[in-house]
Structure formats: structure tokens, C-alpha cells
Amino acid sequence: MSHKTKGRADAGPGSARRRRARVGWGYTAPTLLVVGAVTIFPILFSVVLSFTTVRITYDGFRVDSFTTANYAALLNSSEWREALLFTLFYTVVTVLVELVLGTLAALVLERLGAGRGWIMALLLVPWSLITVVSAQLWGYLYDASYGLATWFCEIFLGHSPVILGTPATAVGGMMVADIWKTTPFVAIIVLGGLVMLSRDVFEAAEIDGLNAWSTFWRVTLPQLRPVIGIAVLFRILQAFGIFDLPFVLTQGGPGTATQSLAILGYKTLFQDLNMGPGAAIATTTALLVLVCCLVFLRAFTSQASEGELR
């Protein structure tokens, strides 16, 4: 092959793609390094730390040995089991309620004409608030002395409960605060899916004589599965790692009634300075979130595949 022929071969489409790929990697390399430094390295460091016995010294900390005792102690800890059960219960209840209320709100918004933009802007106000600020507001509402919620309870129930002072009402109050803040997020995502649906399918359902309820279950909901799946996935990730809302409202109390896995990990790692067990709590929490998301995605994709086959 002559030099000219070889040069033309090197200048083909494959060579251009390789050059573009090298340029792309060159531009993204700094970002990947930063992501690795601030995300991947801390995760790997936490996993390694969870298998160690760490001793705090004046100069920092020192690793004495590598062991699996942190995980054995974790599995035998009643406090960890209680935090796990609360986190699971909190995640399931809040996600289900937010999904139902968000879908209903999206259906109403989809039928509105004038004024939809203003209502959507009002809906996004709770979601746009920083969780710490939102928790402070709800803390004022739940205050036993001057809280508006306490005042309403006194009017309708005849007594003034300490809402954040008993386990059942503290858990319920925290869920209400979360649902109030996050339902608009689900509503906006579902609304985005609704406006993208084809009108031809609904016209065909109307011709077939389906009422509104049957149209929703047989036509609307199957087409919204991908959008609902995204909303639920995001909410599982957020709800399972809940920290700031209970930290501001209850500090995990009363007792350990609202102590999530994230709160337990914070107390173990930063208050008790038990670095090995704290890292084990963080690692197991991340694994549980990953397993929950994988199980949900598998169930969701299987249902979507069945819907397509039908």
C-alpha cells in the first residue's frame, strides 16, 4: 500500500470517530477526576473503614486491625433493627401517599386550561424550600405552646397533644411534613408524562364507550408506567436516606421513634466517634438502597414488558 493510500485510509470515518473520542475524553477527564475524588473515593474509603477497628488519637485516627466484627455487631443490634424498620416503614408509606396524591394532582392540572402555570408555580413552592427550612416551619406548627397544629387539635379534639413528644404522633407529623414537601415533585413528573400521551388513544377509548375510571386504569395508567417508575425510584432514594427532616424536627426522638438509618449512622460516627461501626451502617444503608432500587426496577420492567405483550 502506498503512503497516499494509507493516509486516505487513516483519514476515514473510523479515524475521525477515534479523534472525536480522544477529544471527548480529554474534555471530560477533569470532571471524571473530580467526581472520583469527591464521590467514588469516599465510598470506597467508607467500605474499607467498615472492615476495620479504628482508634481515635490526638493526631487523628489509627487503624488497629481488619475485622468483620462491625457487621456482626450491627446485625445483633436492636437499635439498628429499629432504625431499619422505621426507615422501611417511612419510605413505603410516604412514597405510596405521595404517588397517589401526586397522580391525582397531575390529573387535575392536566385538565386545567388557564391558570395552570400559576397553580404549578404554587405547587413548586414546598418542593423548592430547603428541607431544613421546611422542617423548621413544621416545627413551629407542631410546637406544644403556640403551634397552629396544636391549636387545631385543642379545638377539635378538646386537648393539646405534644405532637413531637410521643412516638406515634411524631412519626405521623414527620410523614405529613415530607408528604407536603415532596408531593409536588411527583405531580410535576406525572404531569409531564400526561401531556406527552397521544390523544388518539383516548379518542379510541371514548368511541369504545369507556368511562373515565376505566379509561384511567386501562389507558392512562399503563402509558404512565415509565414516568411513575422514575418518580418512585427518585423518591425511594430520597426517602430511604432521610436525614435532615428528622434531625431538625425530632433529633431521632422521642427515644428512637424517628431515628432513621442516616441519623443512627451520624450519631455513631460523629457523636460517639465509632468510625468502624458508623462506616458499616453507611455501607449497609447504601447496599439496602441499591437492592431496593434493583428489585423495584426488575418488577417495573417485567410489568412494562407484560403490558407491551398485551
Side-chain angles (χ1 to χ4, degrees):
M1 180 184 293
S2 65
H3 291 292
K4 292 183 179 179
T5 305
K6 185 177 180 181
R8 286 194 297 270
D10 291 339
S15 178
R17 285 195 296 269
R18 286 193 294 270
R19 285 198 301 271
R20 287 196 296 269
R22 286 195 295 267
V23 172
W25 279 109
Y27 280 120
T28 57
T31 303
L32 293 175
L33 290 174
V34 172
V35 171
V38 302
T39 303
I40 299 175
F41 173 75
I43 293 174
L44 295 177
F45 182 74
S46 178
V47 172
V48 172
L49 201 64
S50 67
F51 288 99
T52 61
T53 301
V54 180
R55 183 168 59 180
I56 304 297
T57 64
Y58 289 106
D59 299 328
F61 66 91
R62 187 174 68 185
V63 176
D64 288 339
S65 61
F66 289 89
T67 178
T68 59
N70 294 327
Y71 289 96
L74 199 66
L75 295 176
N76 293 323
S77 171
S78 60
E79 190 174 11
W80 180 79
R81 290 195 295 270
E82 290 174 1
L84 175 61
L85 289 175
F86 166 74
T87 305
L88 288 172
F89 176 71
Y90 178 87
T91 300
V92 171
V93 172
T94 55
V95 171
L96 284 178
V97 174
E98 289 161 5
L99 181 60
V100 173
L101 294 180
T103 302
L104 291 175
L107 290 171
V108 173
L109 286 172
E110 195 265 340
R111 292 179 176 273
L112 289 179
R116 181 196 294 179
W118 289 102
I119 296 176
M120 288 176 60
L122 290 175
L123 273 177
L124 285 175
V125 170
W127 171 249
S128 63
L129 288 177
I130 300 173
T131 306
V132 173
V133 176
S134 174
Q136 288 283 6
L137 293 175
W138 281 96
Y140 295 143
L141 292 175
Y142 292 147
D143 190 90
S145 300
Y146 53 80
L148 188 62
T150 306
W151 180 67
F152 275 116
C153 289
E154 185 175 4
I155 292 176
F156 293 104
L157 301 178
H159 66 281
S160 304
V162 182
I163 297 176
L164 299 179
T166 56
T169 54
V171 173
M174 199 172 75
M175 287 181 176
V176 169
D178 194 322
I179 292 167
W180 173 81
K181 175 177 172 55
T182 320
T183 296
F185 168 76
V186 179
I188 295 301
I189 290 182
V190 176
L191 178 61
L194 281 173
V195 298
M196 296 297 293
L197 297 182
S198 173
R199 299 293 99 186
D200 296 337
V201 182
F202 295 99
E203 292 175 1
E206 187 177 354
I207 293 173
D208 290 339
L210 294 180
N211 56 29
W213 185 252
S214 299
T215 301
F216 173 75
W217 282 105
R218 297 183 183 181
V219 179
T220 306
L221 191 59
Q223 294 185 85
L224 284 178
R225 280 179 179 174
V227 176
I228 291 175
I230 293 172
V232 171
L233 186 61
F234 273 103
R235 284 303 300 133
I236 290 175
L237 291 171
Q238 293 171 341
F240 208 93
I242 188 70
F243 173 81
D244 37 11
L245 184 61
F247 184 80
V248 175
L249 272 181
T250 62
Q251 292 286 316
T256 58
T258 59
Q259 181 171 261
S260 64
L261 288 172
I263 292 286
L264 178 61
Y266 168 80
K267 290 181 177 179
T268 304
L269 188 58
F270 295 104
Q271 293 185 0
D272 301 336
L273 296 180
N274 292 327
M275 303 189 71
I281 293 172
T283 302
T284 53
T285 303
L287 287 175
L288 287 170
V289 171
L290 179 62
V291 169
C292 289
C293 291
L294 290 176
V295 169
F296 170 76
L297 285 175
R298 185 175 181 83
F300 172 75
T301 52
S302 63
Q303 288 182 356
S305 300
E306 292 176 1
E308 289 178 358
L309 290 176
R310 294 194 188 112

